[in-house]
Amino acid sequence: MNAPSSDLGEFDLIRRYFQQHEAQRDAIQLAQRGVVLGIGDDAAVLRLPRGTDLVAAVDTLVAGRHFPLATAARSVGYRALAVNLSDLAAMGATPAWATLALTMPTADARWLQEFSAGLFDIAQQHGVTLVGGDTTRGPLTVSVQILGSVPRGAALRRDGAKAGDLLAVSGTLGDSGAGLKFVSAAPSGGDRGDARAAAVDELIRRFDYPIPRVQMGLAARYIASAAMDISDGLAGDLPKLAAASGLHAHVDVDRLPLSPALRATVSEVQAREWALVAGDDYELLLAASRANYPKLEAAARQLNLTLTIIGELSSGSGVSWSADGVDYTPATSGFDHFG
Ligand code: ADP
Ligand code: MG
């Protein structure tokens, strides 16, 4: 292959990095995934499986706002789709298609190569086909729209929880937000070799390459009563689920799942606080009746995913927290762009 030129035309770059990417070329694969017409026409034509509802979400990443300016292009491509997959996971939907609106200051071939490698890496992991997009010049901004489906009526929503339901979260909280704080503080990493530096690297990796809990979302269909993904921190997101369901939520902060990497890096108090407010977790927050919870736990175990009960829902409104048996107030209430 010829060395790519450093400033490509719009159509060349769409063809080279998106339309004709090897991950996109398998026509049979495309037909199986309901792509009647993909990249290249004015719009894509997509066919939903019979008896399903279309599930759609869009999330934008702005350079310097959602990720540090120095973030590797591969991570930017990966994250842009990962955060959208997380939204579909929270709905219990099977992801199928994505569109990409890419705004960038220059068409840098090396950057695009890495960006599309990251994007198609996670696209392939989840069977997602890129079916269209838009490419414009401007400050680096990546908008991905994702489309998928659920059996008719089966979407997991925020408003389905009942009084008495248990609240649980997947994985661990605070890692990714901690990683972002570390990368912002010391972009070049620390001393190589010591255990703390390895833990910091792991946290940064959790930020750069989030793991959307798509399989868990699918497994939670018909079992969980409500679900959402945690993107703005539990303290910011749980009130949304409680409000949508018209309930009060109580969380025992001592129960928040904290990773060994996070514990190895900061104090227990700091780890707990970041687990509540640092954001960018992309774990699932699930509500389930006590009768259904064991089924949810069994499903998680099959996926090698930890699921931790953190609290419960009751009649009323708002959210309360306790730690060490006494009331607890998170320092801040999660991320809000206009807060
Ligand atoms: P139009 O002017 O009709 O909107 P464009 O010239 O913008 O079409 O795009 C040509 C084709 O390439 C369309 O099918 C569009 O969906 C696709 N496309 C453009 N940019 C991207 C991108 N970044 N990723 C994937 N597909 C893209
Ligand atoms: Mg266009």
Side-chain angles (χ1 to χ4, degrees):
M1 206 205 212
N2 293 332
S5 69
S6 66
D7 204 6
L8 297 155
E10 175 185 338
F11 300 106
D12 284 341
L13 82 85
I14 293 169
R15 201 178 316 113
R16 183 176 298 172
Y17 295 105
F18 301 108
Q19 185 172 20
Q20 293 185 356
H21 197 279
E22 62 264 27
Q24 288 287 104
R25 278 198 215 123
D26 191 334
I28 295 165
Q29 215 176 317
L30 293 187
Q32 280 173 348
R33 290 179 185 162
V35 182
V36 179
L37 190 59
I39 294 175
D41 213 306
D42 293 307
V45 181
L46 309 167
R47 193 161 295 162
L48 277 170
R50 201 177 285 277
T52 61
D53 290 332
L54 176 66
V55 181
V58 62
D59 253 324
T60 298
L61 303 184
V62 178
R65 178 92 212 164
H66 298 93
F67 57 88
L69 294 171
T71 301
R74 184 177 287 258
S75 159
V76 177
Y78 195 99
R79 277 190 98 238
L81 185 52
V83 301
N84 278 280
L85 283 163
S86 180
D87 281 326
L88 255 60
M91 302 305 292
T94 305
W97 312 298
T99 58
L100 164 68
L102 179 58
T103 304
M104 55 194 173
T106 56
D108 180 81
R110 284 239 309 274
W111 190 91
L112 278 161
Q113 181 111 37
E114 284 297 299
F115 173 86
S116 61
L119 183 86
F120 286 117
D121 176 359
I122 189 162
Q124 284 189 308
Q125 288 177 43
H126 294 278
V128 170
T129 307
L130 186 68
V131 296
D134 194 30
T135 307
T136 53
R137 191 186 290 272
L140 181 60
T141 303
V142 186
S143 228
V144 169
Q145 179 191 45
I146 191 145
L147 302 164
S149 66
V150 287
R152 201 162 284 174
L156 287 169
R157 305 159 49 134
R158 298 177 180 186
D159 61 4
K162 300 275 180 291
D165 284 356
L166 296 172
L167 277 170
V169 294
S170 64
T172 54
L173 299 180
D175 299 327
S176 174
L180 176 58
K181 291 183 199 296
F182 285 121
V183 83
S184 307
S188 57
D191 294 319
R192 299 287 130 184
D194 74 83
R196 188 174 185 278
V200 167
D201 283 350
E202 187 179 329
L203 297 174
I204 293 173
R205 206 157 45 242
R206 288 295 310 269
F207 176 80
D208 282 341
Y209 300 98
I211 306 169
R213 304 301 187 184
V214 175
Q215 295 304 320
M216 187 65 220
L218 293 175
R221 286 199 308 228
Y222 309 110
I223 301 175
S225 55
M228 72 183 295
D229 74 323
I230 306 172
S231 53
D232 295 336
L234 184 68
D237 285 330
L238 176 57
K240 299 172 191 165
L241 186 143
S245 290
L247 295 171
H248 173 79
H250 180 79
V251 167
D252 185 349
V253 173
D254 301 316
R255 292 186 174 206
L256 297 179
L258 305 175
S259 72
L262 188 58
R263 287 176 187 279
T265 316
V266 294
S267 71
E268 172 89 20
V269 170
Q270 179 69 88
R272 241 159 39 176
E273 198 56 29
W274 280 353
L276 285 171
V277 304
D280 288 313
D281 296 296
Y282 302 107
E283 295 293 350
L284 291 181
L285 172 64
L286 297 158
S289 67
R290 280 161 205 275
N292 275 2
Y293 187 77
K295 289 185 237 171
L296 210 56
E297 197 167 47
R301 201 173 316 117
Q302 283 226 313
L303 295 168
N304 252 322
L305 183 64
T306 60
L307 200 62
T308 307
I309 296 173
I310 57 165
E312 61 191 329
L313 293 153
S314 57
S315 57
S317 65
V319 178
S320 61
W321 314 84
S322 63
D324 308 315
V326 296
D327 287 351
Y328 182 92
T329 309
T332 49
S333 58
F335 198 79
D336 177 350
H337 282 277
F338 297 101

